Amino acid sequence: MQLLRLLSLSSVASAAALVQPRAGGCATPEKRVEFRSLDAAAQKQYTDAVMCLATKPSGINLGLNTTLYDDFSYVHTHLNQIIHFCGQFLPWHRYFVQLYHAQLRECGYTGPMAYWDWTLDAADPAKSSIWTLLGGNGNPDKVEKTGAQEWMCVTDGPFRELRPAYREKEYAPHCLARDFFDGKERPGTMRGSAYNAQEVEFINGQKTYADFRLYLESIPHGSIHSAVGGQKGDMKPSTSPNDPLFFLHHTQIDRLWYLWQQGDAEARNKDITDDKTYPVDGTKSAVEDVLQFMGLAADIKIADVMTTQNDLLCYTY
Ligand SMILES: [Cu+2]
């Protein structure tokens, strides 16, 4: 089935219209859950909704002929230089996940946003039960090429027919690809020591936002991207939202920020002091800074997402 040819003719409301402050405030926040604690029907509803995104036309009004599914990768890769290795990394991705969840809802998913708690799998990540639910490693017997990039195609699970449209800024339709890798010389292993419970405890013990963000982003966050993406997978390039796993991973990252904030909510729900840019130019991020979303939704301020229990977000873990 060629999903790209199944573009729905019905127009899709933009995400901007879907994530609106709730008139009644946030009296009953949604509780986000580990993906594996959803029941089988909810897991299927989730993965069906992901596939549904790839049947809808682009919603970001940039004249793209690609799908709503690809909008997320398109926006992420075009903003890559300003949303990583600096203060806005956590708030930007917090809202990005929220926009994605809003679109899953439009595609029939009625459950809470879910995360992948990879600490549960750190002893042997390649054997995680998550792979039986979301498809596993790429298949070395099924490799595609776009330009110089090889892709090791995922040939099992609910996403085996996905055809992401981009590789970074190029239009380069290809199979969804994974390439389990430890970052060194042992393909198929996944360096679980970078994202086990002890590592998370060390990071949670950081006192400042800048230290917390730096360790979280560079150690477990980056390690999961390279462990799943390797050389021939989607999780490695800046079009990593090509892999549905991206959003379960980033919800876990958001959860760890939330838990760290809970450790001293009064101070940490305001603390965004960090480098504003990468490479560093001496300027510091502040809650008034604007987060850009290129039409995926209206731009917001960092202040709008410093707590998850407000009118705009309204969830806990
Ligand atoms: Cu990112």
Side-chain angles (χ1 to χ4, degrees):
M1 183 170 63
Q2 290 286 343
L3 289 163
L4 286 173
R5 301 214 177 111
L6 289 178
L7 289 180
S8 157
L9 291 174
S10 64
S11 69
V12 57
S14 75
L18 297 172
V19 182
Q20 287 291 343
R22 298 164 195 222
C26 178
T28 51
E30 169 187 282
K31 190 164 168 61
R32 292 181 168 182
V33 297
E34 219 279 341
F35 187 78
R36 289 165 288 190
S37 72
L38 293 170
D39 65 28
Q43 288 170 348
K44 179 160 192 314
Q45 202 186 47
Y46 185 100
T47 58
D48 284 352
V50 171
M51 295 304 287
C52 158
L53 299 178
T55 67
K56 290 187 166 185
S58 170
I60 53 179
N61 297 322
L62 293 172
L64 302 175
N65 292 320
T66 47
T67 71
L68 177 62
Y69 183 89
D70 297 305
D71 286 352
F72 287 88
S73 286
Y74 185 92
V75 168
H76 185 269
T77 200
H78 280 82
L79 297 175
N80 184 34
Q81 299 301 322
I82 60 168
I83 60 176
H84 299 110
F85 305 111
C86 61
Q88 71 166 278
F89 171 70
L90 290 170
W92 190 89
H93 287 81
R94 170 170 281 176
Y95 194 54
F96 192 57
V97 165
Q98 182 80 357
L99 297 175
Y100 187 78
H101 185 203
Q103 293 294 2
L104 292 181
R105 281 203 185 99
E106 289 296 296
C107 270
Y109 177 60
T110 56
M113 191 55 200
Y115 55 90
W116 172 31
D117 182 0
W118 20 251
T119 65
L120 303 173
D121 305 295
D124 196 351
K127 300 243 164 67
S128 168
S129 57
I130 204 89
W131 311 120
T132 61
L133 300 171
L134 301 175
N137 198 2
N139 180 345
D141 296 327
K142 181 134 194 293
V143 174
E144 289 184 10
K145 252 185 132 179
T146 61
Q149 175 75 53
E150 288 193 321
W151 303 103
M152 209 157 85
C153 303
V154 173
T155 55
D156 65 329
F159 306 128
R160 64 191 181 279
E161 292 184 16
L162 269 178
R163 303 285 303 168
Y166 297 104
R167 184 201 175 275
E168 301 191 336
K169 289 177 183 165
E170 307 152 36
Y171 177 70
H174 60 277
C175 60
L176 172 67
R178 294 187 187 135
D179 179 12
F180 291 179
F181 192 60
D182 73 349
K184 294 182 199 152
E185 71 286 345
R186 291 180 297 140
T189 63
M190 299 175 82
R191 198 171 47 171
S193 58
Y195 43 94
N196 62 19
Q198 293 91 307
E199 192 62 45
V200 164
E201 197 185 323
F202 163 75
I203 294 167
N204 194 48
Q206 299 304 310
K207 297 289 178 231
T208 66
Y209 176 78
D211 286 344
F212 175 78
R213 192 277 308 159
L214 175 69
Y215 285 119
L216 182 63
E217 181 174 6
S218 24
I219 307 173
H221 162 261
S223 296
I224 289 287
H225 277 285
S226 79
V228 179
Q231 306 302 317
K232 300 177 185 176
D234 277 296
M235 279 286 271
K236 191 70 192 301
S238 56
T239 31
S240 45
N242 281 348
D243 191 332
L245 197 67
F246 173 100
F247 294 94
L248 301 173
H249 173 42
H250 268 279
T251 308
Q252 162 78 347
I253 294 294
D254 183 60
R255 172 176 168 257
L256 297 177
W257 183 28
Y258 167 89
L259 293 173
W260 183 79
Q261 288 186 306
Q262 296 303 299
D264 182 0
E266 205 183 322
R268 293 176 182 177
N269 287 350
K270 297 189 197 99
D271 183 10
I272 198 74
T273 309
D274 199 348
D275 296 320
K276 185 168 179 167
T277 62
Y278 180 82
V280 173
D281 70 358
T283 54
K284 295 292 171 193
S285 50
V287 292
E288 307 84 54
D289 293 350
V290 171
L291 301 173
Q292 296 176 48
F293 288 89
M294 294 179 70
L296 193 60
D299 295 347
I300 59 168
K301 287 185 173 172
I302 288 178
D304 296 331
V305 291
M306 285 300 291
T307 160
T308 66
Q309 292 177 77
N310 60 20
D311 289 356
L312 184 66
L313 301 177
C314 202
Y315 63 82
T316 62
Y317 290 93

